[in-house]
Amino acid sequence: MTSKETARPLRVLQLTDPHLMANADGALLGVNTRDSLDAVITEVLRSHGQPDLILATGDLAQDGSEEAYRVLADRLGAFRCESAWIAGNHDQVASLRAVAARCGADRRHIIQGGWQFILLDSSVSGKVHGELAESELDFLAEMLEQHPEMPALITLHHHPVDIGTDWMANIGLKNREDFWQLVDRFPQVKIVLWGHIHQTHEQQRNGVKLLASPSTCIQFTSGSSKFSVEDLAPGYRWFELQSSGNFSTEVCRALDFDFELDQTSSGY
């Protein structure tokens, strides 16, 4: 076994869809989103300890307010590592980028632990669906071309594949064919990771692991034909990445978090 394999793996935490608000009492379907994020962070530290990198993958704010992003920055102060943020359909991009820049969370290409992380902006102003602009696809290709031997994790907000949930079929990534044609050119891509769908999802495609993760607040029902939420605890995804390209990942939930979910809502 090589020294690369025996070195401590890079520990990466994905937090997604916290839907924070300027109002400290702000709730989504009855769940206070600050409290649920706090519970998830507590669980991360209890179950896994300190990560080496945090990926915050969209819908960071429900109301797009700078205060919500400042709250996120404050909460992430519980960790001793840097974070990187991308926008979701609920985010106000200018406000997100302003706060992210002030706290060093605006990097879109990260090399760490023998891996490269490429963060894509799939948000479309005023729309729920996602799309990667030509400039985003060019950026992705450029980064992958520069490091052909380095395992890569690509992350974006919107799902680039069918997830079997009918009401979300039209709010994923619209130009997914363009995305996959590009990804298929680069065998070093090991993981494509997203948020948006508020549920765990896992597929394999041409040797690439496709992963989505639970929200740090409410959870959407997997496989539902209409908007539906289920009484599952908020959660996060944890990675341990070896420089060889091997990795492990798991989803954990803040099972001690006490909440009353409004399951009568027809949307959010």
Side-chain angles (χ1 to χ4, degrees):
M1 187 170 289
T2 68
S3 59
K4 280 189 174 181
E5 292 289 347
T6 56
R8 183 180 74 75
L10 184 74
R11 299 170 297 201
V12 177
L13 167 65
Q14 182 202 15
L15 298 174
T16 195
D17 299 273
H19 290 269
L20 296 168
M21 307 177 204
N23 185 347
D25 295 325
L28 198 61
L29 277 64
V31 177
N32 182 294
T33 59
R34 294 192 189 189
D35 290 348
S36 60
L37 177 59
D38 287 345
V40 167
I41 289 172
T42 297
E43 182 62 26
V44 172
L45 294 171
R46 185 188 71 82
S47 293
H48 286 102
Q50 290 286 340
D52 299 310
L53 176 66
I54 299 165
L55 302 174
T57 56
D59 281 353
L60 309 182
Q62 172 73 6
D63 58 9
S65 66
E66 282 206 22
E67 176 60 21
Y69 301 119
R70 286 193 289 266
V71 169
L72 177 63
D74 176 71
R75 295 305 199 266
L76 295 183
F79 302 109
R80 296 192 295 268
C81 67
E82 294 187 340
S83 62
W85 306 357
I86 54 175
N89 50 288
H90 282 275
D91 288 304
Q92 211 291 326
V93 174
S95 297
L96 184 157
R97 288 179 177 170
V99 178
R102 290 198 292 269
C103 62
D106 58 342
R107 293 183 299 162
R108 302 187 55 222
H109 183 243
I110 300 164
I111 294 178
Q112 190 171 343
W115 281 67
Q116 63 172 322
F117 302 85
I118 304 170
L119 292 90
L120 301 177
D121 182 3
S122 61
S123 66
V124 180
S125 180
K127 304 294 183 182
V128 180
H129 71 260
E131 188 166 355
L132 292 170
E134 195 67 32
S135 58
E136 290 296 300
L137 294 170
D138 289 346
F139 169 69
L140 175 60
E142 181 183 359
M143 295 302 100
L144 291 171
E145 286 166 356
Q146 286 182 7
H147 305 280
E149 305 302 323
M150 185 176 292
L153 182 155
I154 301 167
T155 188
L156 68 167
H157 181 68
H158 293 82
H159 49 292
V161 292
D162 179 27
I163 61 165
T165 300
D166 291 347
W167 71 271
M168 299 192 85
N170 293 322
I171 61 171
L173 187 70
K174 288 292 187 183
N175 59 337
R176 60 185 62 175
E177 295 83 4
D178 295 335
F179 173 72
W180 287 118
Q181 285 179 11
L182 196 161
V183 170
D184 286 344
R185 291 166 40 199
F186 297 96
Q188 76 266 37
V189 177
K190 303 297 183 183
I191 301 168
V192 173
L193 175 70
W194 65 89
H196 191 44
I197 66 173
H198 289 233
Q199 60 192 259
T200 301
H201 189 81
E202 183 173 328
Q203 290 187 41
Q204 192 87 12
R205 183 189 181 279
N206 293 345
V208 180
K209 198 74 164 179
L210 315 183
L211 297 168
S213 307
S215 165
T216 68
C217 59
I218 64 170
Q219 314 305 315
F220 299 153
T221 306
S222 298
S224 59
S225 58
K226 297 180 180 180
F227 177 84
S228 175
V229 291
E230 56 184 337
D231 194 17
L232 288 175
Y236 64 93
R237 183 177 290 278
W238 184 266
F239 291 93
E240 298 199 352
L241 308 176
Q242 297 281 358
S243 59
S244 64
N246 294 328
F247 65 90
S248 62
T249 184
E250 62 178 322
V251 166
C252 295
R253 297 182 185 271
L255 298 177
D256 293 338
F257 179 59
D258 187 26
F259 63 99
E260 291 187 15
L261 182 65
D262 177 10
Q263 296 186 339
T264 66
S265 176
S266 59
Y268 76 116

